Amino acid sequence: GMNVATGLSKPMKNVLEANLRKTNGDMINLCMTTASNGQQEFVNAMNEAVMMVESGAFDYQTAIRRAVEQCSRIGAKVSYDSGTQLSLEAAARMNILTAVNQTAGKITEMNAERLGAEYYETSAHAGARLEHMEWQGQVFKIDGADADHPNFYDATGYGEVTGLCGVNCRHSFFPFFPGISKRAYTDEDLENLTSRTVRYNGEDIPDYEASKIQRSIERSIRESKRKIAAYDAAIKESKDDTLIKSLEEGRIRAKQTLRARRERLTDFCKQTGFKKSSIRHKTAVVN
């Protein structure tokens, strides 16, 4: 509700306003979805713990410890219409990075229109998704197509969830002027990016597959951190010495698991040459 002198042109103000509205709407939905899903999962965990004790198969200390572990694994998640569930950390990263990249795409469109550009060149990087490898680093015609350049939208899927600047896409694009601009990547460069592999545990693995292994290890580290935080909270609230001892034993095991997973990530990065990203290890509770 504040009037601020931004110095932006009218088109840029429109982009800014559109993204503010989009982000606010998404965050509101994110919070509502998380609360609903998290509460139901919590109730399910509690019901299971009660039945464990009432069946006589477990004492209440064991049931509570298992409930703490289950809730830590569930965490706070975001549910999507497709059935996909993401942790808060993963959902926040995906939404923010995707929104920023899409804003950059809109700015590129505006620049291309202002410059009268008829072509776009897409960026390229190692470890791209297989379907994105088909169009990365190439030049496309914005309107229609010609003998040497396919249509930009048809080829890249720009504007679609799985296409260029879609969910978790790291590609971008820029105005290109045939006869003036020089391609950033030669065909040989693109071939090298496509065929690039890393050595891990004695095997040559494509970059993209190796990156999925790293993401999996990072998710396991966040899971361990959430479990430790859950144990810490349960121990802090407990007044029963027997229960506290049981919870501390679980906490020790969780810390050992976390240490092992961190060592695995270090070994993975050492073998493959990939870099650690500390932000990917962070959780809302333990870092």
Side-chain angles (χ1 to χ4, degrees):
M2 296 175 61
N3 292 319
V4 180
T6 62
L8 297 176
S9 64
K10 189 175 186 302
M12 288 301 297
K13 287 182 179 179
N14 292 337
V15 172
L16 178 61
E17 182 178 353
N19 276 280
L20 284 172
R21 292 180 178 180
K22 179 181 66 177
T23 304
N24 288 336
D26 189 51
M27 292 304 292
I28 290 172
N29 180 64
L30 177 66
C31 294
M32 292 173 63
T33 304
T34 300
S36 175
N37 183 62
Q39 289 172 6
Q40 186 57 53
E41 295 287 0
F42 175 77
V43 170
N44 293 342
M46 296 305 102
N47 289 338
E48 183 177 337
V50 170
M51 287 188 290
M52 288 170 60
V53 176
E54 291 181 346
S55 69
F58 299 90
D59 57 54
Y60 85 93
Q61 289 95 345
T62 301
I64 292 175
R65 187 178 70 246
R66 291 184 59 168
V68 169
E69 291 183 356
Q70 184 176 346
C71 287
S72 70
R73 286 195 299 270
I74 295 169
K77 294 188 177 181
V78 182
S79 297
Y80 293 91
D81 292 339
S82 63
T84 300
Q85 287 190 342
L86 295 177
S87 68
L88 274 180
E89 297 88 2
R93 178 182 176 83
M94 180 191 74
N95 278 279
I96 293 170
L97 294 184
T98 301
V100 170
N101 202 23
Q102 289 175 348
T103 300
K106 290 297 182 184
I107 293 174
T108 296
E109 289 184 62
M110 292 162 56
N111 288 337
E113 182 178 352
R114 179 170 57 85
L115 295 171
E118 298 181 10
Y119 298 84
Y120 284 137
E121 179 182 14
T122 56
S123 65
H125 63 80
R129 299 175 221 173
L130 297 180
E131 59 270 29
H132 288 198
M133 287 183 182
E134 298 177 358
W135 48 255
Q136 70 171 357
Q138 298 181 41
V139 177
F140 301 94
K141 199 168 190 306
I142 300 175
D143 294 318
D146 58 35
D148 299 318
H149 306 95
N151 178 260
F152 172 71
Y153 298 95
D154 293 340
T156 67
Y158 179 65
E160 300 177 8
V161 174
T162 58
L164 171 63
C165 292
V167 174
N168 279 335
C169 176
R170 292 187 285 140
H171 288 99
S172 54
F173 59 100
F174 311 93
F176 186 90
F177 301 90
I180 300 175
S181 302
K182 182 179 179 181
R183 284 180 58 189
Y185 298 89
T186 65
D187 291 340
E188 183 180 357
D189 292 333
L190 295 176
E191 177 61 29
N192 290 335
L193 287 176
T194 301
S195 60
R196 180 176 164 181
T197 62
V198 293
R199 192 79 171 169
Y200 181 56
N201 288 344
E203 294 184 34
D204 291 323
I205 305 175
D207 254 31
Y208 181 61
E209 295 301 322
S211 68
K212 291 198 292 185
I213 294 175
Q214 184 175 5
R215 299 291 92 83
S216 176
I217 300 173
E218 291 164 346
R219 284 193 298 271
S220 71
I221 289 175
R222 295 198 301 268
E223 178 187 329
S224 289
K225 288 182 175 182
R226 284 191 291 267
K227 185 176 292 187
I228 292 170
Y231 274 123
D232 286 339
I235 291 171
K236 183 179 180 180
E237 295 298 322
S238 179
K239 307 299 181 183
D240 186 302
D241 291 340
T242 303
L243 176 58
I244 291 175
K245 181 179 179 181
S246 177
L247 293 171
E248 285 180 339
E249 290 173 353
R251 182 175 180 274
I252 291 172
R253 289 195 298 271
K255 281 201 163 188
Q256 291 172 340
T257 300
L258 175 59
R259 187 180 305 112
R261 288 172 173 175
R262 280 174 165 163
E263 290 174 353
R264 184 188 175 199
L265 179 61
T266 298
D267 177 65
F268 173 86
C269 291
K270 182 178 180 180
Q271 289 192 50
T272 61
F274 281 22
K275 293 182 179 180
K276 292 183 183 179
S277 176
S278 60
I279 191 65
R280 291 184 177 273
H281 311 162
K282 293 184 180 295
T283 68
V285 287
V286 178
N287 297 310

